[in-house]
Amino acid sequence: LVDIRDACWPTQKSTLKELLAVVAQRRQDLVFLEFLALEDGVPVGVASASQNEWRLESGTYWSNLMVHPQARRRGIGRALYTHLLRELEPHQPKNLGGNTQEGQTDALRFLKAQNWKEHNRSWESWLELDSFERGRFAGAVERTLEQGYQITTFDLLERQDPDARRKLYDLDCDAGKNIPGEDDLTQPSFE
């Protein structure tokens, strides 16, 4: 799975440890389906769908479909997608979401052929550390601290404030309400 993901999203490499951490955090009471496509016993594609805990009331599921670039244009994606929809049907999904990037032309072509519609756009910002001009930000940390802000780790914060995790949850829920176009959010429980 890591190899497929890294081949499909080369600018966002992941590790097995990261993948296992996501699996460990998955809520067991929510629907999660995942299917592999094998070619000569080797995984070449994966399709998954899971209940979106932020949209339980709307019946929204989040999907992911990846086919290794070397295995594309052979019907693997269509077969995985068809199988995923068939297996998801008993759960009565009302909406199916997913994401891709503008540069993922194969994915965009596939989604268009499946009649997917764009719901919203988001932008990522990347800081290229090799070309970062640190001098331009000289004194920024000091100025921030002078304004009364603290820079710390969550681990230290949690040791100082036993309610830190709850406060972070509340902040995340409040911030989620301000995402444009995301007005049907279901606030997941703190647990």
Side-chain angles (χ1 to χ4, degrees), residues 26-32 50-53 56:
R26 187 176 296 133
R27 283 183 45 185
Q28 298 301 307
D29 61 318
L30 299 181
V31 174
F32 178 76
S50 56
Q51 269 182 300
N52 186 329
E53 69 178 311
L56 290 177

Side-chain angles (χ1 to χ4, degrees), residues 1-5 8 33-48 64-84:
L1 290 176
V2 171
D3 290 345
I4 293 169
R5 188 187 186 292
C8 293
L33 306 171
E34 187 169 55
F35 305 100
L36 283 175
L38 304 176
E39 194 169 74
D40 298 325
V42 177
V44 293
V46 60
S48 64
N64 193 9
L65 175 64
M66 296 179 287
V67 176
H68 194 287
Q70 295 175 348
R72 291 181 183 165
R73 299 187 185 271
R74 292 189 250 158
I76 295 168
R78 183 173 304 282
L80 278 167
Y81 183 66
T82 300
H83 184 77
L84 182 66

Side-chain angles (χ1 to χ4, degrees), residues 110-128:
F110 181 86
L111 292 170
K112 185 176 182 180
Q114 311 312 312
N115 294 317
W116 278 61
K117 304 289 184 243
E118 182 177 326
H119 179 270
N120 64 355
R121 286 185 181 221
S122 61
W123 290 263
E124 293 182 351
S125 297
W126 292 74
L127 179 59
E128 298 291 338

Side-chain angles (χ1 to χ4, degrees), residues 138-151:
V141 171
E142 293 76 13
R143 287 191 301 275
T144 301
L145 296 174
E146 288 169 2
Q147 294 177 45
Y149 292 99
Q150 288 181 297
I151 300 173

